[in-house]
């Protein structure tokens, strides 16, 4: 499975740790930066990563900023992206099961690196449940297309 990963300066160490963990576990990881600890604008990273997921170049994406919120707001502006800011295990699991989220957003200043790795792990391993949830996703897509 191909996973896209990216961060701003609020999530640099978390992003690197998650990428390393995923690669150690056999995932192909495309790193959208940042590649050194420098201040950047999170929408720039969110845009590049989200477009790659929406285009099918990567199956899922993981974005880390200070809170996870700015990244999720920006990612959700890209058509076809369902980004979820999560800081607990239950949400990371159910946003895949029920929302078919394709981008996980994490807060490097909210959760520790260990939790971030666990949430990323749950996110990439959990499959969308489909069924009644597909109808709800279809309604989200219709809403997106009605803009
Ligand atoms: C950057 O200081 C910070 O605003 C950003 O990482 C993120 O938390 C935004 O939502």
């Amino acid at each position: 499975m191909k996973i896209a990963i990216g961060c701003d300066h609020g999530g640099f160490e978390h992003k690197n740790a998650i990428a390393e963990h995923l690669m150690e576990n056999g995932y192909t990881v495309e790193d959208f930066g940042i590649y050194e600890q420098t201040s950047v604008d999170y929408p720039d990273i969110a845009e590049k990563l989200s477009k790659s997921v929406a285009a099918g170049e990567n199956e899922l994406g993981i974005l880390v900023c200070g809170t996870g919120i700015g990244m999720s707001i920006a990612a959700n502006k890209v058509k076809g992206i369902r980004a979820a800011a999560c800081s607990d295990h239950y949400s990371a699991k159910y946003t895949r099961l029920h929302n078919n989220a394709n981008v996980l957003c994490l807060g490097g200043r909210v959760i520790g690196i260990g939790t971030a790795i666990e949430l990323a792990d749950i996110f990439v391993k959990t499959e969308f449940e489909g069924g009644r949830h597909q109808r709800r996703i279809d309604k989200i897509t219709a809403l997106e297309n009605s803009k």
Side-chain angles (χ1 to χ4, degrees):
M1 184 190 280
K2 283 192 74 183
I3 311 286
I5 196 159
C7 68
D8 75 354
H9 48 285
F12 183 60
E13 285 178 21
H14 287 58
K15 183 267 287 180
N16 288 341
I18 295 165
E20 195 179 315
H21 172 80
L22 292 175
M23 288 186 289
E24 277 170 11
N25 284 276
Y27 294 92
T28 301
V29 175
E30 185 175 356
D31 190 346
F32 285 82
I34 49 178
Y35 308 110
E36 59 185 44
Q37 183 68 64
T38 180
S39 181
V40 294
D41 297 334
Y42 59 81
D44 297 335
I45 306 290
E47 180 185 359
K48 285 180 199 150
L49 178 143
S50 298
K51 285 183 173 172
S52 92
V53 173
E57 292 156 11
N58 285 287
E59 199 167 321
L60 295 172
I62 299 172
L63 288 166
V64 194
C65 65
T67 58
I69 296 170
M71 284 293 199
S72 68
I73 292 171
N76 276 315
K77 299 296 179 194
V78 175
K79 200 169 181 171
I81 293 301
R82 290 174 300 279
C86 297
S87 52
D88 66 275
H89 297 68
Y90 186 89
S91 302
K93 180 176 176 181
Y94 276 83
T95 202
R96 288 286 305 129
L97 283 174
H98 287 186
N99 311 131
N100 199 12
N102 48 16
V103 176
L104 173 69
C105 300
L106 301 170
R109 296 172 184 156
V110 179
I111 57 173
I113 287 177
T115 301
I117 289 171
E118 287 184 6
L119 300 191
D121 214 42
I122 288 168
F123 186 76
V124 300
K125 283 180 180 158
T126 307
E127 296 279 339
F128 176 49
E129 221 171 66
R132 67 188 187 282
H133 301 293
Q134 184 58 58
R135 184 179 69 242
R136 294 159 186 168
I137 301 306
D138 291 344
K139 289 188 178 185
I140 293 171
T141 304
L143 187 60
E144 184 176 64
N145 289 334
S146 73
K147 275 191 212 168

